[in-house]
Amino acid sequence: MTEPLAGLHVVEIATEISGPYAGKLFVDLGAEVDKIEPPGGDPLRRWGPFPGGAVDPRRCGLFEYLNAGKRIAAPADARDLIAQADVLVENLAPGTLDGWGFDIDSLAKLNPNLVLLRISHFGQSGPWRDRHTAPLTLQAASGWVGPRDPDRPPVQVGARIAEYVAGAYGALGALTALRLTGRRGEVVEVDVSESESLLSTLPYPMLMARKMRSLGLPANARGAPMLGVVRAADGWVGINCLAGQHWLDVCAMLGLPEFAEQQIAIMLGGPERAEFYARAEPLLAEQTVAEIVELSQALRIPAAPVNDGATVLDCPQYAARGFFVEGGGAGWSFRKPRSPLRFTTSACSASRRSLDRDIAPRPNELPFAGLKVLDLTTFWAGAYLTCYLGAFGADIVKIESIQRPDGFRYSGAFPFEGDDWYERSALWQATNLNKRDLTLDLTSQRGLDIARRLAAQADVVVENFSPRVVEQFGLDYESLVALKPDVIGVRMPGFGLHGPWRDYVGWALNFEQTAGMSAATGYADGPPCNPQGPADPVVGVHAGVALLAALEHRRRTGVGRLIEVAQIEVAACVTAEPVIEYTMNGVVSSRQGNRQRGYLQGVYPTAEDGAWVAVSLPDDGGLDHDVFDELVAAWTRTQCPKDIVETLRAQGIPAERVIAGEQMYDREFIGAQLDARGFYEEFEHPITGSHRYPGWPFRISLGPDRHHRSAPPTLGQHNDEILRALGLSDDEVAELRAQRVIGERVRGA
């Protein structure tokens, strides 16, 4: 099967993780990537892990994982390679490439058809462009350092996961830029901000803070996931109640029905919480992780093991799918994640190539103009992808029903807000801009027939339910190919389309726990902690990368494909180091809290109640870290956060206030940088009014000036418009509404 990006030539002048991960995604999809290393080599070669622990730049596991399949070239070859490239990837400090003689004007003369992917801490523009930063302070400024234990400082996300995120967005932006057919003869710059990338993976805390204030509630009010990460007899397990029914089932499973009506009080940390956990924890500690997961899943309760670098290898789902593969070289080896992007070509699709016009934009159109997408998604990961496609020109028809709307509508919305409360979720709104909304009861024959008519017109069909859902409606990939042979199907199941956990239920926290993200986050002497956010949108970004590759393949061949993106596999791909370390040296990496090798750093209290600052500077080995923490904390707790940051930054020491959701619009914090780059865009929602929605974490120089095209729709807002375009008469539409096949209000509301 032809690799989807076969023939694409990429040059990489990038170090560490973000740029090389973008390059890795191109390699995984069949592109040729030449990596130009500086004379001393990529610094990541000295990071490890190494066989036996001794530093050996030729045998670094993480470097090999990120750079396998690339051709290593010398700086002297750069000019010739760039002249023949389609994409140039760089993640150097702003201005560095210019100093090497590769400014935009020089690149335009060398290769006028180049896409230049630039990844930097805060982007190539704005007042924070040249701000001194470190991985910890970048997380702090971007909302990734969060409260994990009320009695201890907020904690960063571990395992260098944050650094992969910008690379994934970079690959998505570069492939989008390649679709700008009016760009010939001019270099297109894709300017990725790592900080904005991290913000883009959060569950819209700035919108939620504003909403909570409007309801007269504390802006930072948040409930802990229930039950969260708890001890079992042989390890940690995550039990993650997403719906009220999950909680009722957990109480029944544990034999504690008396707590069934106390979910909110327990979630918000009331006195009932301590009583509940005092009863529940001993019961769970008597059972193994596997027993708890099996029983919970039998009751359709989202539960998963909290895996580390060792136990993840024993996970039956990963094993059945052959996910971890051999890496290394002569005399050394380890195991690493394989690509999470899986492609299948239907025999029917391959034998009936499309005779239609290629779906590619005409000059000066948006990158996805003309692309028709049927959106069968729910919650966040799939809807995040279709939101992106719609922003850049695709026609997105999102299907819900009045019997069962998208469950994400109920996240961050409350029944006391009124009859239309399901329209008031900031989370749903921010994920569903740029779409038209159609309600169809797919359990009815008429509703299903209409869905199939839409599928027969679609170029892409996207869904992220558990596998059996679309299959029971006859909307699986083979059924779609029968309707339209060159269709591209994007399926994003939590645990994959095959394997013993195929039909398990789960959401972001489950995938973070299964993949090892949670085990890598938290204090060394404390429990694993959920990152609580990134898994869903990061999966959506990876699915977008795969889809754009498949569209390019179809442009060349006329053949569509099925794309499978298992969410637990994407999460494991950006958490690769723990499994590499374990399989190379038998070491299970401990959680590091806010520390990272090579730095003296931490998150420290200030004179302002509840305000924290992150401070980081290179570690030359001259000071004990515990002593450093004591000295810094003794000073910071006597100072206000603003003075701490300004004083340290004046000395070139990276320091940032740990920002929370209510501060993400504030120009005193990162808001000034975000506003300068146009990160937020304002739209008027017909029910909840005007909101400033986050955009995408990159700017494309010849792309659209705006991040989004339209406000999020209300339920069934476009019923008449879409159905009449299918040829239905006014009487037929009225009949569908009378039979409740369609509608504009939740059934019973």
Side-chain angles (χ1 to χ4, degrees):
M1 185 166 57
T2 305
E3 296 291 345
L5 291 184
L8 187 74
H9 184 199
V10 179
V11 174
E12 176 188 305
I13 306 178
T15 64
E16 299 289 349
I17 293 176
S18 62
Y21 188 64
K24 170 181 163 48
L25 291 174
F26 287 127
V27 169
D28 291 344
L29 293 165
E32 297 179 357
V33 179
D34 288 298
K35 180 181 179 70
I36 298 171
E37 288 197 73
D42 185 337
L44 191 66
R45 287 184 178 274
R46 291 164 180 78
W47 174 263
F50 307 103
V55 176
D56 183 349
R58 299 166 300 173
R59 300 197 297 175
C60 170
L62 191 57
F63 179 88
E64 195 276 346
Y65 168 64
L66 290 166
N67 295 285
K70 300 174 185 177
R71 297 179 299 210
I72 305 299
D77 300 322
R79 185 167 296 274
D80 290 340
L81 291 171
I82 292 171
Q84 303 300 318
D86 299 295
V87 179
L88 172 60
V89 180
E90 68 102 350
N91 67 346
L92 310 173
T96 302
L97 204 62
D98 296 358
W100 292 358
F102 292 126
D103 57 274
I104 292 291
D105 291 340
S106 299
L107 289 172
K109 294 175 182 176
L110 186 63
N111 183 347
N113 298 316
L114 186 69
V115 168
L116 172 59
L117 170 57
R118 316 186 80 164
I119 302 173
S120 59
H121 296 318
F122 293 104
Q124 302 291 322
S125 63
W128 286 27
R129 177 189 122 133
D130 299 312
R131 196 172 178 94
H132 295 295
T133 193
L136 174 64
T137 61
L138 187 71
Q139 285 200 36
S142 310
W144 266 44
V145 174
R148 322 285 180 189
D149 181 333
D151 299 320
R152 304 183 76 169
V155 180
Q156 66 179 341
V157 176
R160 300 185 68 174
I161 294 166
E163 298 174 54
Y164 290 82
V165 174
Y169 276 108
L172 180 65
L175 290 174
T176 301
L178 285 169
R179 292 180 60 86
L180 292 169
T181 57
R183 69 181 181 87
R184 310 310 293 177
E186 187 172 352
V187 173
V188 180
E189 181 182 18
V190 181
D191 171 12
V192 180
S193 162
E194 293 178 352
S195 174
E196 290 170 18
S197 297
L198 300 186
L199 277 166
S200 295
T201 65
L202 297 175
Y204 313 109
M206 68 293 292
L207 289 164
M208 282 301 300
R210 181 184 175 191
K211 177 185 178 70
M212 299 303 282
R213 281 197 300 264
S214 73
L215 296 174
L217 299 171
N220 61 351
R222 55 183 296 169
M226 300 297 300
L227 282 62
V229 175
V230 290
R231 274 202 179 276
D234 59 345
W236 298 95
V237 65
I239 302 176
N240 311 291
C241 296
L242 181 61
Q245 188 60 51
H246 294 150
W247 174 253
L248 297 177
D249 292 338
V250 163
C251 292
M253 178 180 75
L254 295 175
L256 299 173
E258 62 270 29
F259 292 98
E261 301 303 320
Q262 300 179 38
Q263 180 184 9
I264 300 300
I266 295 171
M267 183 176 68
L268 293 177
E272 299 89 348
R273 182 181 180 88
E275 181 184 355
F276 171 76
Y277 276 90
R279 299 274 301 280
E281 286 175 338
L283 299 173
L284 293 165
E286 295 174 353
Q287 304 174 65
T288 66
V289 170
E291 289 169 343
I292 294 170
V293 170
E294 183 177 3
L295 178 58
S296 298
Q297 288 287 345
L299 296 170
R300 309 301 289 167
I301 299 167
V306 180
N307 287 317
D308 57 28
T311 61
V312 72
L313 296 165
D314 299 324
C315 176
Q317 188 67 3
Y318 286 126
R321 292 171 60 81
F323 178 66
F324 291 105
V325 298
E326 292 298 316
W332 66 295
S333 66
F334 58 87
R335 299 186 73 189
K336 62 182 181 179
R338 55 157 284 174
S339 171
L341 312 178
R342 303 187 184 218
F343 296 84
T344 304
T345 299
S346 164
C348 178
S349 174
S351 64
R352 296 172 58 191
R353 297 188 176 198
S354 172
L355 300 178
D356 297 337
R357 173 181 72 86
D358 290 338
I359 303 302
R362 292 185 289 273
N364 302 317
E365 284 187 327
L366 292 173
F368 306 132
L371 194 71
K372 293 185 177 181
V373 179
L374 184 60
D375 181 344
L376 301 176
T377 67
T378 186
F379 282 91
W380 198 3
Y384 191 78
L385 167 59
T386 53
C387 181
Y388 178 79
L389 298 173
F392 284 86
D395 178 17
I396 313 293
V397 174
K398 180 177 179 69
I399 292 184
E400 305 180 74
S401 72
I402 59 173
Q403 291 80 10
R404 189 172 182 176
D406 184 344
F408 211 27
R409 286 184 176 274
Y410 300 105
S411 296
F414 308 97
F416 64 76
E417 293 184 82
D419 291 342
D420 57 4
W421 67 280
Y422 53 85
E423 299 282 12
R424 297 178 176 273
S425 167
L427 306 181
W428 191 91
Q429 289 182 18
T431 309
N432 287 279
L433 298 128
N434 317 308
K435 303 178 185 182
R436 297 189 294 160
D437 196 280
L438 171 68
T439 53
L440 287 176
D441 179 6
L442 297 184
T443 65
S444 71
Q445 189 59 50
R446 296 190 70 182
L448 193 54
D449 288 344
I450 292 170
R452 288 175 174 154
R453 289 178 63 182
L454 289 166
Q457 298 178 358
D459 300 294
V460 180
V461 179
V462 184
E463 66 90 12
N464 66 317
F465 286 91
S466 59
R468 62 183 181 178
V469 173
V470 294
E471 292 166 6
Q472 72 185 10
F473 289 127
L475 294 170
D476 56 285
Y477 177 61
E478 291 299 330
S479 299
L480 295 173
V481 168
L483 297 170
K484 193 171 191 292
D486 69 341
V487 70
I488 296 174
V490 182
R491 303 194 65 182
M492 304 162 63
F495 296 95
L497 295 178
H498 72 272
W501 290 8
R502 173 185 188 269
D503 294 319
Y504 272 18
V505 294
W507 56 297
L509 298 187
N510 298 89
F511 311 141
E512 293 171 4
Q513 293 157 357
T514 303
M517 297 171 84
S518 300
T521 301
Y523 283 97
D525 58 350
C529 295
N530 300 316
Q532 296 187 50
D536 269 306
V538 171
V539 169
V541 171
H542 281 74
V545 170
L547 172 58
L548 296 195
L551 286 168
E552 171 59 20
H553 175 265
R554 188 176 70 173
R555 185 191 65 78
R556 297 196 315 266
T557 67
V559 177
R561 283 183 168 180
L562 169 65
I563 301 167
E564 178 192 358
V565 184
Q567 297 186 44
I568 60 165
E569 294 184 351
V570 172
C573 280
V574 301
T575 321
E577 188 174 352
V579 75
I580 294 172
E581 173 77 15
Y582 177 76
T583 55
M584 182 182 288
N585 295 318
V587 174
V588 175
S589 304
S590 62
R591 286 177 287 282
Q592 297 296 307
N594 286 315
R595 295 184 178 182
Q596 181 170 311
R597 188 183 345 140
Y599 295 92
L600 288 168
Q601 62 179 34
V603 174
Y604 305 102
T606 71
E608 182 180 322
D609 187 40
W612 301 84
V613 292
V615 178
S616 179
L617 67 160
D619 181 8
D620 60 7
L623 185 63
D624 177 83
H625 207 308
D626 290 337
V627 173
F628 174 81
D629 286 342
E630 291 176 9
L631 292 172
V632 175
W635 174 66
T636 60
R637 63 168 48 99
T638 67
Q639 308 289 316
C640 72
K642 183 178 180 180
D643 289 345
I644 295 169
V645 172
E646 290 181 353
T647 299
L648 294 178
R649 299 200 70 84
Q651 302 176 58
I653 298 174
E656 299 290 354
R657 178 168 176 156
V658 175
I659 66 166
E662 64 269 23
Q663 296 156 336
M664 291 177 183
Y665 286 132
D666 197 328
R667 294 184 62 84
E668 181 183 347
F669 306 109
I670 198 173
Q673 174 68 9
L674 300 177
D675 287 349
R677 289 174 55 81
F679 182 67
Y680 295 116
E681 287 187 349
E682 192 159 345
F683 286 90
E684 185 80 18
H685 186 270
I687 292 176
T688 61
S690 180
H691 302 283
R692 297 179 69 206
Y693 296 100
W696 309 106
F698 50 76
R699 306 299 285 178
I700 301 176
S701 60
L702 296 183
D705 294 330
R706 297 179 58 84
H707 287 292
H708 298 293
R709 293 194 298 147
S710 61
T714 55
L715 185 67
Q717 179 178 334
H718 301 95
N719 284 343
D720 289 42
E721 173 186 318
I722 295 169
L723 295 175
R724 285 170 180 153
L726 284 176
L728 275 68
S729 68
D730 290 349
D731 288 344
E732 289 173 313
V733 172
E735 184 180 1
L736 291 172
R737 188 169 281 113
Q739 295 178 349
R740 303 188 71 81
V741 175
I742 66 171
E744 290 73 35
R745 295 188 61 78
V746 170
R747 185 167 187 173

